[in-house]
Amino acid sequence: MSVLNFGSLNIDYVYSVDHFVTKGETIASSMLNVFSGGKGLNQSIALSRAGARVYHAGMIGMDGIFLADMLEEAGVDTRFLIRSKDVRTGNAIIQNDSQGDNCIILYGGANQAVSREMADQVLKSFGPGDWLVLQNEISEIPYIVSKAHERGLKIVLNPSPMNEKIFQIDLSCVDCFILNEVEARALAGDSEDPDILLSRLQEKFPKAEIVLTLGEKGSVYGGKEGIVCQEAYRVDTVDTTAAGDTFTGYYLAGRLEGKPVKEALDTAAKASAIAVSRKGAAPSIPEKDEVRRFHKNIVTI
């Protein structure tokens, strides 16, 4: 069984600000940090650090070679990663405020240069029993989902960022959704009640497992193992940038190992708690041993 993450890679420019800039406002940044990022890269690193064997497919420009190096240092197989001389690497402009929250502007760059021909070339190396992990930061997602489904891959979708492109995908092909409340409301209808959102998602996608992340309220699963709730772990929040990606990688790695949902959710919650206590995206993702040690000092919210 193999895991293919067909996903984005970004260069993150993180500006430390007192508050998020508003319309017509000019503010000063107290610091600029440049990090590796992209939801695809983050999730591949989280999967690998959690113990999974993961292949990353995607595209970078020559300005992003260090991203490939970082994936490889984390143990990710990059044989399906294209280095292009024709496009710039995708990037993100991130404001990180004094409360540890962030807002993000994405430039797709090489992430939006993924072609159907590339997808076909990658997918021919995978088949029934293999897992495909997708986000919504690269081009040709509907085609990739369709072809992966034809080949019998188990498809995991993190529909982020949520936009109209998600509705071009045949979502009935998805085997597992990992999504937050904003994304859930876009798919299932407006409601502030997580139980209602989960119920609606299960009705709409009866064949899929649903993992709904709720920030400081934890997460909830709905699927073959029933309804499973997971509390969040209390830490001093520094930067939430890669929290969801860390959660996704660690949860999926646990399921790949055959762990029950409750154990996989618990490990993912601890990993994401560690991630938000650090600055940066990919650099904040903990190693598996760090998550194990977190067991010794836990406080649930």
Side-chain angles (χ1 to χ4, degrees), residues 140-159:
E140 297 295 350
I141 291 288
Y143 182 82
I144 293 169
V145 167
S146 175
K147 292 301 179 181
H149 182 69
E150 288 178 9
R151 297 188 66 85
L153 278 72
K154 180 174 181 177
I155 300 170
V156 180
L157 177 65
N158 173 211

Side-chain angles (χ1 to χ4, degrees), residues 200-250:
R200 288 177 179 173
L201 288 167
Q202 288 184 288
E203 290 176 5
K204 193 167 185 178
F205 308 109
K207 297 180 181 179
E209 294 184 298
I210 311 293
V211 179
L212 179 59
T213 60
L214 306 169
E216 64 181 19
K217 294 179 289 184
S219 60
V220 59
Y221 161 97
K224 297 175 182 177
E225 296 190 23
I227 304 297
V228 182
C229 298
Q230 173 62 45
E231 295 177 304
Y233 288 89
R234 189 189 308 277
V235 295
D236 293 328
T237 299
V238 173
D239 184 354
T240 62
T241 306
D245 298 330
T246 301
F247 182 97
T248 296
Y250 267 84

Side-chain angles (χ1 to χ4, degrees), residues 13 15-30 93-98 101-105:
Y13 300 95
Y15 295 85
S16 298
V17 295
D18 181 65
H19 63 275
F20 298 147
V21 68
T22 59
K23 183 178 180 180
E25 183 182 22
T26 300
I27 62 175
S29 171
S30 61
I93 296 173
I94 301 173
Q95 296 179 65
N96 183 221
D97 73 7
S98 58
D101 291 322
N102 63 74
C103 61
I104 303 171
I105 299 173

